[in-house]
Amino acid sequence: MKKITTLKKSLMVIGFIGWSLSGFAQAYKIDRNKVFFDREPIPHADARSFVDLGHGYAKDRNNVYHHGRILEFVDPATFRLKGRDNSHFHEEGDWHEHDRSPKGYYKTKFNVYYGDKKIDAMASSFKEIGDGYAKDAFNVFYYGKKIDGASASTFKYTGDGYAQDAFNAYYRGRKLD
């Protein structure tokens, strides 16, 4: 009788541990310009603008997602999670939060990263300017990707996904004609 009770308790503990760890297995991934959640492709997700917000939420330029499913009637341009630093910029060593991997911009003394990928930016002059836009003395970036032809010296974020420099206007990192 004692062996059965011990066995039941052991199975319950193992089951609870497996259930609690299963949440860590679910994650958003981008591979070959396709977005996946828990190894299932997300149709129509825009890999270029896709951002994992943590806690099962993500967004791209068109939609907001929760556990890989589109949240209907939610505006991705204004969607934010409460209780988090929404700046996407974290000082050295302060990027883990509750997620397993870094999100947003991360700067060391000499290098700049977006997520876990090093970007071609000068750390000494690098700064985030809002809503995924960042710049250094020479280059402008949108969610870690360099915006070709943008003038860093005059580039500024104007709100709601729009930005401008002395020559062009941009919407979510893309030059407008």
Side-chain angles (χ1 to χ4, degrees):
M1 190 70 149
K2 191 175 182 179
K3 287 183 181 181
I4 293 173
T5 304
T6 306
L7 179 62
K8 283 183 182 178
K9 286 180 182 178
S10 298
L11 289 174
M12 285 177 56
V13 169
I14 291 169
F16 178 74
I17 291 170
W19 173 78
S20 63
L21 291 176
S22 68
F24 291 113
Q26 295 178 332
Y28 292 98
K29 301 280 186 209
I30 299 174
D31 185 27
R32 296 187 186 118
N33 291 323
K34 291 182 181 178
V35 180
F36 298 84
F37 179 78
D38 196 23
R39 298 182 182 180
E40 293 294 321
I42 302 174
H44 310 294
D46 181 46
R48 186 173 184 266
S49 64
F50 194 87
V51 178
D52 185 347
L53 301 171
H55 306 287
Y57 290 92
K59 68 179 184 175
D60 62 18
R61 67 184 186 166
N62 302 314
N63 297 298
V64 175
Y65 305 89
H66 186 247
H67 294 291
R69 295 177 186 230
I70 294 173
L71 294 177
E72 296 292 331
F73 311 109
V74 179
D75 180 15
T78 58
F79 182 81
R80 302 283 185 269
L81 291 179
K82 288 187 174 188
R84 283 188 61 155
D85 174 13
N86 290 322
S87 69
H88 297 288
F89 182 82
H90 306 284
E91 289 301 322
E92 184 173 359
D94 186 33
W95 43 263
H96 285 288
E97 293 185 21
H98 301 291
D99 298 329
R100 293 174 294 149
S101 61
K103 304 288 185 263
Y105 294 104
Y106 167 68
K107 181 169 101 169
T108 65
K109 189 172 185 178
F110 299 106
N111 298 308
V112 179
Y113 300 85
Y114 184 79
D116 59 356
K117 293 192 170 49
K118 182 179 172 189
I119 62 173
D120 188 24
M122 291 178 43
S124 61
S125 63
F126 184 85
K127 64 181 178 179
E128 184 180 14
I129 55 178
D131 201 17
Y133 288 103
K135 68 179 182 175
D136 65 8
F138 304 103
N139 299 300
V140 179
F141 304 90
Y142 183 71
Y143 288 109
K145 295 188 178 175
K146 184 176 171 184
I147 301 173
D148 291 326
S151 172
S153 62
T154 61
F155 195 90
K156 62 183 178 180
Y157 175 62
T158 56
D160 295 325
Y162 290 94
Q164 69 182 49
D165 63 15
F167 309 103
N168 297 297
Y170 302 85
Y171 180 67
R172 296 185 176 167
R174 294 185 183 180
K175 186 171 101 174
L176 298 174
D177 291 328

